[in-house]
Amino acid sequence: MQLSRNKEYSNREADERASNFEIDPADIFWLDFYCSFFSFAGLLFISAAGAGEPLHRDLQPLPRRARQPRCGIFSTFGTQRDGNDFHAFWTEFEYGATAWWTTELYLDGQTTFNESTVFTGFRLENRFRLLQREHLINPVLYVEYEQITGADKILKEIEGHDGESDLADSNAALRKEHKHELEFKLLLSSNFKGWNVAVNPIVTKNLLPSEPWEFAYAIGTSRPLMLKASPNRCNFCLENFVAGVEMYGGLGDVQSAGLHDTSHYLAPTVAWNLPSDWTLHLSSGFGLNQNSHRLLLRWGISHEFSGFGEAVRRLFGGQP
Amino acid sequence: MKTGYASFRAVQRIGLATIGGAVLGIVILGISTAVAQKQGTATDKKKESTYAALAEAPEKARQRKNPFEGDPQAMAAGGKLFQQHCVECHGEKAGGTKKGPSLLHEEVRQATPGALFWVLTNGVVRRGMPVWSKLPEQQRWQIVAFLHSLKPESLDSHSGSDER
């Protein structure tokens, strides 16, 4: 009888775990294996082709070099009132197909403390430079498709009426919501006397017909700590550091546009570009109203792979 | 047993998602290859176009003076920046590669600092030369100073040496 009850409990627990999409620590190895293998395979294929230079990311200090993929690991630690704090993380694989087109794949996951670690979906983004030459304002069109669950907490953008309370539920409850969204941004940036100023109006549409168009914004400015480069190769030269500040938040949706029931963040940022092609990013976002998380601490590390495309092309017998 | 199965299902879903990502990558590969082939079929034409871009610089831009003209520190800094940002396409010794033209070419050497600065700032996007406007203006001038420091002797000894 006791055995039967234990078995029943075990089965129920198993079903619950299945529905919660939880991952045992022992399976982390396989998670890493799957993610790394298939992502690397995808990257390999992407990198085997193409010519030119990726576009510049908004608010990002340095341009990309030709045919060099960039991989990065980023994370957001967020505080959560009426719930558990969380640590969301994502992996980025970026490649510049041409000098005017950059494509990028994101894989998202998160750990909610005292709950579970879950994979929350993927995003595929493309950026297109609209003008050939440098102008006072340089527009880049950004199109992203995302297939994520409601448990996604990377909070790369805050859209519509998104707020802290949306993420207060358990992972089990949040992951029942599935989002297939298209996101459009117009990345407007301007460079003046070493300062980069960027304004991004954002429009998002959940592909469910019943869901409204949502609006958001991100603005920011940044500047290298030193505009002149020093003659020597160095890690700690001031020109390698870029400091700035960002502000981002939601602007409601088509049914109720405006600032009511929206959340907003102000975030000082710093990036450290090492000569070895590694870049470290750090940003601490402070919630500006009651709908916002008190703190969103972001950090990340990314690397550009010199000569990667050429190496892959040679591997497949192509001309260097 | 069932817990293990649940975990397996979780990992399976992650696998499916990443396979989806890889498939999308392959699609991008196809499009990217097509674009690359279109762009890369005439390397010489590309190089000519890149040099032609120097002539497209407006007169006002062409007349701009390099604030670091003759400054050895700026040349050294420009050399460092060149190594960081330019060698991938233009080669270690600026002699050019399949991706980018030689910067030891007569047309580059004869170009005014202002014209070189203009091309660096605006790029030749259609031909694969990126816009470098996010590098601070001073650093772009330092690169121009470095390019002008490349002597005719180095032209003789290095020209085409990076061509693979």
Side-chain angles (χ1 to χ4, degrees), chain B residues 47 90 93-97 102-105 154-164:
Chain B
K47 287 176 182 175
H90 295 290
K93 296 167 183 171
T97 68
S102 167
L103 300 178
L104 303 172
H105 197 276
S154 57
L155 174 75
D156 294 331
S157 56
H158 294 151
S159 184
S161 62
D162 289 349
E163 293 280 8
R164 279 171 274 169

Side-chain angles (χ1 to χ4, degrees), chain A residues 164-222:
Chain A
E164 184 184 33
S165 58
D166 298 337
L167 301 179
D169 283 343
S170 66
N171 279 344
L174 288 171
R175 66 165 297 275
K176 285 176 184 159
E177 184 191 0
H178 293 271
K179 296 179 184 175
H180 300 261
E181 287 189 348
L182 275 179
E183 182 177 295
F184 302 94
K185 286 187 200 176
L186 194 58
L187 312 177
L188 303 170
S189 71
S190 185
N191 297 298
F192 183 71
K193 295 205 178 288
W195 288 91
N196 174 261
V197 180
V199 178
N200 305 343
I202 303 166
V203 178
T204 305
K205 177 73 177 84
N206 188 316
L207 296 180
L208 285 177
S210 57
E211 294 289 331
W213 288 84
E214 294 181 308
F215 307 117
Y217 71 92
I219 56 176
T221 183
S222 62

Side-chain angles (χ1 to χ4, degrees), chain A:
Chain A
M1 185 68 180
Q2 182 67 36
L3 187 67
S4 162
R5 198 175 294 147
N6 280 349
K7 193 178 174 186
E8 186 186 312
Y9 174 77
S10 172
N11 286 347
R12 198 167 56 234
E13 187 189 43
D15 288 344
E16 198 174 298
R17 286 177 66 81
S19 72
N20 286 357
F21 194 31
E22 288 184 8
I23 298 170
D24 282 345
D27 289 324
I28 292 293
F29 167 79
W30 289 107
L31 187 152
D32 284 346
F33 176 79
Y34 265 114
C35 290
S36 306
F37 178 78
F38 287 108
S39 303
F40 179 73
L43 187 67
L44 208 68
F45 277 115
I46 294 169
S47 303
E53 174 88 2
L55 293 172
H56 309 162
R57 173 183 284 268
D58 54 315
L59 305 181
Q60 198 151 13
L62 285 179
R64 304 259 165 269
R65 278 164 275 168
R67 287 188 224 174
Q68 286 185 354
R70 185 183 70 99
C71 290
I73 297 169
F74 294 80
S75 82
T76 301
F77 166 79
T79 60
Q80 178 75 51
R81 280 168 286 210
D82 304 323
N84 293 315
D85 295 345
F86 58 87
H87 176 229
F89 42 87
W90 69 100
T91 310
E92 291 185 17
F93 301 99
E94 182 183 285
Y95 186 71
T98 71
W100 48 266
W101 171 31
T102 295
T103 186
E104 189 161 3
L105 173 71
Y106 295 79
L107 298 172
D108 299 356
Q110 56 103 330
T111 295
T112 300
F113 300 125
N114 305 318
E115 281 189 44
S116 57
T117 296
V118 290
F119 173 71
T120 54
F122 73 89
R123 300 155 193 262
L124 188 72
E125 72 159 57
N126 288 282
R127 271 172 275 149
F128 305 96
R129 185 182 174 90
L130 299 180
L131 300 178
Q132 297 267 331
R133 288 183 182 158
E134 180 70 3
H135 295 267
L136 182 62
I137 296 172
N138 300 289
V140 171
L141 179 65
Y142 174 110
V143 183
E144 180 181 283
Y145 170 74
E146 51 191 54
Q147 190 174 321
I148 56 175
T149 69
D152 195 281
K153 296 182 179 180
I154 72 168
L155 299 175
K156 206 159 68 72
E157 297 91 15
I158 308 294
E159 299 147 0
H161 293 290
D162 288 354
E164 184 184 33
S165 58
D166 298 337
L167 301 179
D169 283 343
S170 66
N171 279 344
L174 288 171
R175 66 165 297 275
K176 285 176 184 159
E177 184 191 0
H178 293 271
K179 296 179 184 175
H180 300 261
E181 287 189 348
L182 275 179
E183 182 177 295
F184 302 94
K185 286 187 200 176
L186 194 58
L187 312 177
L188 303 170
S189 71
S190 185
N191 297 298
F192 183 71
K193 295 205 178 288
W195 288 91
N196 174 261
V197 180
V199 178
N200 305 343
I202 303 166
V203 178
T204 305
K205 177 73 177 84
N206 188 316
L207 296 180
L208 285 177
S210 57
E211 294 289 331
W213 288 84
E214 294 181 308
F215 307 117
Y217 71 92
I219 56 176
T221 183
S222 62
R223 184 185 186 276
L225 297 188
M226 175 82 87
L227 298 180
K228 260 170 69 175
S230 57
N232 303 317
R233 185 182 161 97
C234 50
N235 288 329
F236 294 98
C237 299
L238 286 179
E239 84 242 19
N240 292 341
F241 293 88
V242 180
V245 63
E246 296 174 4
M247 189 173 164
Y248 49 94
L251 294 172
D253 56 42
V254 75
Q255 290 161 359
S256 59
L259 294 175
H260 62 92
D261 292 332
T262 57
S263 54
H264 305 270
Y265 296 87
L266 186 69
T269 64
V270 65
W272 180 19
N273 301 295
L274 292 155
S276 52
D277 291 341
W278 288 93
T279 301
L280 301 171
H281 313 259
L282 185 64
S283 154
S284 54
F286 300 101
L288 297 179
N289 61 12
Q290 279 299 310
N291 292 327
S292 316
H293 297 270
R294 284 196 183 109
L295 174 69
L296 293 179
L297 185 63
R298 290 178 179 172
W299 69 269
I301 183 165
S302 59
H303 183 64
E304 288 183 39
F305 293 90
S306 301
F308 186 83
E310 294 300 325
V312 172
R313 194 169 288 117
R314 275 197 293 270
L315 190 69
F316 288 97
Q319 295 266 320

